[in-house]
Amino acid sequence: ALITSVLSSSAAENAGLRQGDIIVGLGNSRIRSAEDVSTFMSSHKPNQKVELKYVRGCKTTTVTVTLGYSPS
């Protein structure tokens, strides 16, 4: 799932994610599309900590993120 933008002060920004990063894993789930991210997020609550795996350039990185609230 390609990150097309990162909101200021969001969980993504706090985790160090940038526009152009590609999310490939959340928790124990493999991510293949934006729909997979939505499905994962709908089954988890804000303030939960999960491992997020992403690709930037040729490097794969895993970070722990604290889930935030979806913007209205």
Side-chain angles (χ1 to χ4, degrees), residues 4-48:
T4 57
S5 66
V6 176
L7 298 175
S8 180
S9 300
S10 66
E13 182 184 62
N14 293 338
L17 297 173
R18 297 185 207 157
Q19 180 179 345
D21 290 345
I22 301 169
I23 299 171
V24 295
L26 277 167
N28 294 324
S29 300
R30 185 172 177 188
I31 301 299
R32 296 184 181 131
S33 68
E35 185 176 326
D36 290 346
V37 174
S38 294
T39 299
F40 180 90
M41 297 301 281
S42 68
S43 65
H44 291 76
K45 296 180 180 180
N47 297 318
Q48 270 189 286

Side-chain angles (χ1 to χ4, degrees), residues 23-29 31 40 48-54 61-67:
I23 299 171
V24 295
L26 277 167
N28 294 324
S29 300
I31 301 299
F40 180 90
Q48 270 189 286
K49 292 184 186 287
V50 298
E51 285 193 349
L52 180 143
K53 184 183 289 187
Y54 68 95
T61 303
T62 301
V63 294
T64 300
V65 297
T66 302
L67 301 179

